[in-house]
Amino acid sequence: MTKPFKRILFTGAAGNLGQRLRPHLGQFADIVRLADLADLGPAGPGEETVRCDLADRDQVMAMCEGVDAILHFGGVSTEEAFAPIMQANILGTVNLYEAVHKLGIRRVVFASTNHTMGMYKTTDLVDAGMPPRPDGYYGVSKVFGESLSRYYWDRFGIETVCIRIGYCWPEATNYRQLTTWLGLDDLVQLLRRSLLTPRVGHTITFGTSDNPGRWWDDKHARFLGYKPEQSSAQFANRVPDAANWEEMQDITLTYQGGVFLHNGPKYRS
Amino acid sequence: MTKPFKRILFTGAAGNLGQRLRPHLGQFADIVRLADLADLGPAGPGEETVRCDLADRDQVMAMCEGVDAILHFGGVSTEEAFAPIMQANILGTVNLYEAVHKLGIRRVVFASTNHTMGMYKTTDLVDAGMPPRPDGYYGVSKVFGESLSRYYWDRFGIETVCIRIGYCWPEATNYRQLTTWLGLDDLVQLLRRSLLTPRVGHTITFGTSDNPGRWWDDKHARFLGYKPEQSSAQFANRVPDAANWEEMQDITLTYQGGVFLHNGPKYRS
Amino acid sequence: MTKPFKRILFTGAAGNLGQRLRPHLGQFADIVRLADLADLGPAGPGEETVRCDLADRDQVMAMCEGVDAILHFGGVSTEEAFAPIMQANILGTVNLYEAVHKLGIRRVVFASTNHTMGMYKTTDLVDAGMPPRPDGYYGVSKVFGESLSRYYWDRFGIETVCIRIGYCWPEATNYRQLTTWLGLDDLVQLLRRSLLTPRVGHTITFGTSDNPGRWWDDKHARFLGYKPEQSSAQFANRVPDAANWEEMQDITLTYQGGVFLHNGPKYRS
Amino acid sequence: MTKPFKRILFTGAAGNLGQRLRPHLGQFADIVRLADLADLGPAGPGEETVRCDLADRDQVMAMCEGVDAILHFGGVSTEEAFAPIMQANILGTVNLYEAVHKLGIRRVVFASTNHTMGMYKTTDLVDAGMPPRPDGYYGVSKVFGESLSRYYWDRFGIETVCIRIGYCWPEATNYRQLTTWLGLDDLVQLLRRSLLTPRVGHTITFGTSDNPGRWWDDKHARFLGYKPEQSSAQFANRVPDAANWEEMQDITLTYQGGVFLHNGPKYRS
Amino acid sequence: MTKPFKRILFTGAAGNLGQRLRPHLGQFADIVRLADLADLGPAGPGEETVRCDLADRDQVMAMCEGVDAILHFGGVSTEEAFAPIMQANILGTVNLYEAVHKLGIRRVVFASTNHTMGMYKTTDLVDAGMPPRPDGYYGVSKVFGESLSRYYWDRFGIETVCIRIGYCWPEATNYRQLTTWLGLDDLVQLLRRSLLTPRVGHTITFGTSDNPGRWWDDKHARFLGYKPEQSSAQFANRVPDAANWEEMQDITLTYQGGVFLHNGPKYRS
Amino acid sequence: MTKPFKRILFTGAAGNLGQRLRPHLGQFADIVRLADLADLGPAGPGEETVRCDLADRDQVMAMCEGVDAILHFGGVSTEEAFAPIMQANILGTVNLYEAVHKLGIRRVVFASTNHTMGMYKTTDLVDAGMPPRPDGYYGVSKVFGESLSRYYWDRFGIETVCIRIGYCWPEATNYRQLTTWLGLDDLVQLLRRSLLTPRVGHTITFGTSDNPGRWWDDKHARFLGYKPEQSSAQFANRVPDAANWEEMQDITLTYQGGVFLHNGPKYRS
């Protein structure tokens, strides 16, 4: 069966999500080029690997050559001191879009984060038309990426789907994780939709499964046809019920960003 | 069992939708009056037929006499030169509402079209409160009908449900059809809701089934209680996946109107 | 198994909803304190009862002592002359929140009503951000309660979930009831979500089951994770279909408030 | 010259605003009936006076007989214990609208207050379509009045203009007063517009002069044609400039309600 | 001094507005081509005249040849039987845009009307993003024109400014005229802005002077920089003040369309 | 006379705006600390100067010590290669807010730019609640600053006014400059309001004078009380009128960003 693309690039392949997604990427292209700063092990069938420092303009250009589309999951993916975030997430994304532009690549799927809106309250319903409210350096760096990719769409017609990924780990064990959980199969579906929908323009979509509570309204990306088939409801019984009002005074329950409220900003590297 | 109405009128009965809907109309009324400019064949049980040129004021008046409600599917239903559209869809609708007003008929279900908004992009989410963006003479003529019927509601209290019908054919074979597909049973359900909901005022609703991707948000018509039970998901495997970026540059993928972008306006009759 | 609360208070326990809910409250707390002006019968296991006139400041203070949270269902629950409504619903709610504030109670679930918006049309889609449109003294008194509790949240951080309860009786037998029906199990689920969600701030939510037609959009309370599992669809066949246009001229079909349009205001006590 | 009305009623004539407005009311009607619980002194030319306890249904009925329109400024006009507010502002307003309804009076101008929205922040822009955020019992009682009068419009077609009056004293001496100041001539103009505009329906308008800073957007009442001709800019030099950050931590600078944040609610009468 | 255009076309030059505007058009172009079905008298300096039936495709094509821009004021400008409205305003506008498209003309200024929204209430604030609410055949025909020109912008990049002209006569003598009055100099300014602003896309703007009351919010056309310098305030003393509640029951005071509510639709030609 | 502050910091004092603003800053504080990477000449009365590389964390900390408030105009102020923009505008702003946070400084006025929204069309009306649409690296870097300062407000209560400065040069000579022009006195007024308004939270305001055309709606900052007293109308006669359709095809007339559309992004440093 013909695959949709000849070659796609997946950056950040050695990271947590990268490792879990790797076995699912083969359906999208004849060749999946996996990239990371860290070692990726041997390439499997239909894979090729490349070491790349995103902060290095030339390496990024080389990494992007010859691909049809990019899944950009590389960079720092948690709260950190600003220096490494700036190198990987800010300069790295600038380098990537310069390459995309010069090489005529048509579409990017950008791994953004729910921490772009972590300072919204847990009683808010957030959609993609509302102003970002990041909860730390990491979140601000992803706002930068969303804004930069918007520019490349408005000015040059390069399409990007920004996925504000929720809590994407195998299990959810507290209230916040229950609400923001994203199952791996659902993420794969969302990647598929983001890659194969004929037009995506510049779209911000929220990566969550069909969980009981919802903080995010994905209406602006409804055309993608993403329909989650997993749900955090399966983990509900692991989250204790007792309403201990004292514990519940914690600020991390008030804001969507959760523990990132305590984490950032990191002034000490 | 008592049927809701004594007599209803269905115009455009010889058309594509008319022929497919005809067997389903008996549930609504003791007598279904079928009308068209073309031959309708012999009347079946509970049917009566009438030949009518919508552009002829007197014929229209006669056609409407004695009915409780009207399903107005008559007129030109595709892009055409302006002259026939004007006669059937503009003058015809004016004639119809004059008759409705004079005869004291209380409710009309008006077959409008998704081509009233065909110039929205395929990445947009459109609802009934947004300004129309027609994609040709046909679409503009239906905007006219929606606007005229709005006037008859605002000024005279005559109720109309405008159904912006999607792609209503047995099968969907490309991306646009998958997104806009309307199954026949769902259309029948929507007609039922439009006829029997106690109050409808002037309502614009979107006629689609429960397809994976959605371009239209039907929130303004939620009170109708329409709940599609069909889905274009059944046809998904007929639509090829391969993302051929070249082919995908076609303007008909950019706008919701699809091939109507190439069709209209027809300057040559 | 540990229950979420040590002691909760349920007011209005002798009323219609009170009697039906009583058997379901034990899951929320070790002790359920039931209160009403009327006799409540003997306390069952895990119950304690108290007689209380909501208009009496001291009685209310006593009633509230020692509880972790309150389900406030007490007061007049239908259209009435203004005097009793003022005593129970206005003065009573003022007394309650004074006690809540002085005693340091953290959360109230307030039984509001769909009659706070009964003058919206049956073709409208109402959400919690839209201005109230009450349909009588009863509705206005509940607007008062919603507004008072909003003040206690904005100024003192006391959390309240206002549930605009629909038609909560065992069966639905007309159009309005079909649209606004709330099953008891769904109400219990909504109480659970309102009590146990870590943060609720001041939230207005709509208490309906998953009925076919919808007049209300609960998006502002989506974070609660309420997911109705009952539906009035089971009663649809009891509601006659016949569209008798004459009967349908009744004003109670035009406005969401239904028969309350005829009831209020009661100038004669 | 013919005056617009034969007889109008002005309640609260002995209050602060009542005394200042009294000399300006003669332009509206041949006879101005002044009412208050307190002594009003001798009636001047074109005046008649009446003593009335708003909480007394019969007195209110008598007070309203024979008038064409009402300017309802009576009641408690500041934060107070709840009992007097309930009697004058809640029961009093209920009594008034009962009389208005029974006597067929067509229009009321209702003195509401900016304290219906005192819990909005001083950095917010508030309009009449946004939910009230009262800052105490007084504010909540005025939300009640706005909601009650809305009901009388929706259900019975009785028109009311609710004026959310700003700081209406001769001089402004601090930041909050500068922003919310309403000059007396502007108030008179606003009364004139509220009485004489052919249609007002139920309208909430913001009573401020053309001050430099604005917290309120009066767009929903633009049809009234109110055009303030006074400005608090004349008092700007009386408000000291020094930005003493310590003093500025006061909560009364954060919320629009100002000192009412400290005043209410009054639990001790 | 160089004029902005070489040749512009003004249709409807023999009409009321046409005659009053004619002396002001010379500033826009070296040659002003005046067109009408009726006699236009001798051409003055810088003028040329043409007789044209808008319903005649060939005549319209000839009329449009060689012009840089069009001010389209031709057609029926009041409530009428449908037949003449259809010929002049519907078929006529279709013919005009076909010519514009084929001839490569870049911009049209289209004389639309406030009667596209005459069924909004006089207490509403209407902007260009809200759905039309026409008050008769005339209003519906202008909705058609706005929608058709939208299509030509969306599909072919032809720019149109639709001016919803208010009451454009020398004097205002009643409430509605006071509110909707448009002074001639202001109209000329608006034409100038519509012709000379570098980009206008498809814009709907409201043609009123700086009158005290406002029903329309022109925010979507703010970029045009139109700043009315006339005001109906000069006529205010001609409009009697007396609030005669009986007379004020007239439906023409309730809706923005005024007497058009009584005029339309004209079933008898 | 007492000045509002003891000491304020103005960064970027050697830049274009810095030099023009310098003589106007003395009114705000007893001591104005001027900072720049470039030479600032000798300090005048009430001034002190400091050389500072914004990319140097320690230098920035030292620069900020002992000040009450900051006017942050430093950094790159036009389209440039990304490296210098990243150092000055991204790292520099991060360093600044770290210092502000650690030193307990309460308020920053941040010189943002209209290029954060340069990809909106010249027919759009933009307000501060709409998503940014930057037109190059420079614009994206300012989006970063707005987002970072939002975080410091949401998380730590540090107030910032972001001024999206328009075209702030002595004279306007083309259409875009006419629309976006900001007079120096108006800018000084805006700085005054931004510094002295008791509460500003995190506010984005648009820095333009009272020009005829408007692309920006400053409603979200209306509380600031900024009232421009200058206007670009004085330069209108310098902008030629002639509508040369060919020239007008330039993309820089389509988007608000103007020539920045051609400038960025600069891939070659």
Side-chain angles (χ1 to χ4, degrees), chain F residues 52-62 87 91-92 95-96:
Chain F
C52 177
D53 178 354
L54 291 168
D56 184 310
R57 198 175 184 176
D58 295 332
Q59 289 183 30
V60 171
M61 184 66 73
Q87 291 306 111
L91 183 53
N95 287 339
L96 190 94

Side-chain angles (χ1 to χ4, degrees), chain D residues 2-5 68-69 106-107 159 192-193 195-201 203 219-220 222-225 227, chain E residues 122-125 175 210-217 241-246 248-251 253-254:
Chain D
T2 312
K3 293 181 177 179
F5 296 100
D68 297 317
R106 293 254 174 79
R107 189 176 296 181
E159 294 189 299
R192 183 173 190 84
R193 294 283 178 178
L195 282 171
L196 299 187
T197 297
R199 286 290 181 282
V200 299
T203 293
K219 65 182 172 185
H220 290 107
R222 211 172 290 172
F223 72 90
L224 283 178
K227 214 172 178 171
Chain E
T122 54
T123 51
D124 288 332
L125 183 69
Y175 171 67
D210 184 22
N211 308 326
R214 293 298 300 268
W215 292 339
W216 308 325
D217 183 346
D241 231 16
N244 184 325
W245 292 128
E246 294 313 317
M248 283 167 67
Q249 291 313 95
D250 186 352
I251 192 178
L253 286 169
T254 299

Side-chain angles (χ1 to χ4, degrees), chain B residues 3-8 25-32 46 68:
Chain B
K3 293 182 177 179
F5 296 100
K6 291 221 182 77
R7 180 183 278 104
I8 62 167
L25 302 173
Q27 61 181 300
F28 298 134
D30 298 332
I31 300 171
V32 177
D68 297 317

Side-chain angles (χ1 to χ4, degrees), chain E residues 175-201:
Chain E
Y175 171 67
R176 184 183 183 281
Q177 294 171 6
L178 274 182
T179 309
T180 63
W181 189 73
L182 172 62
L184 191 68
D185 290 347
D186 280 343
L187 175 53
V188 172
Q189 185 201 147
L190 193 43
L191 294 182
R192 182 172 191 83
R193 294 282 178 179
S194 300
L195 282 171
L196 299 187
T197 298
R199 286 289 181 284
V200 298

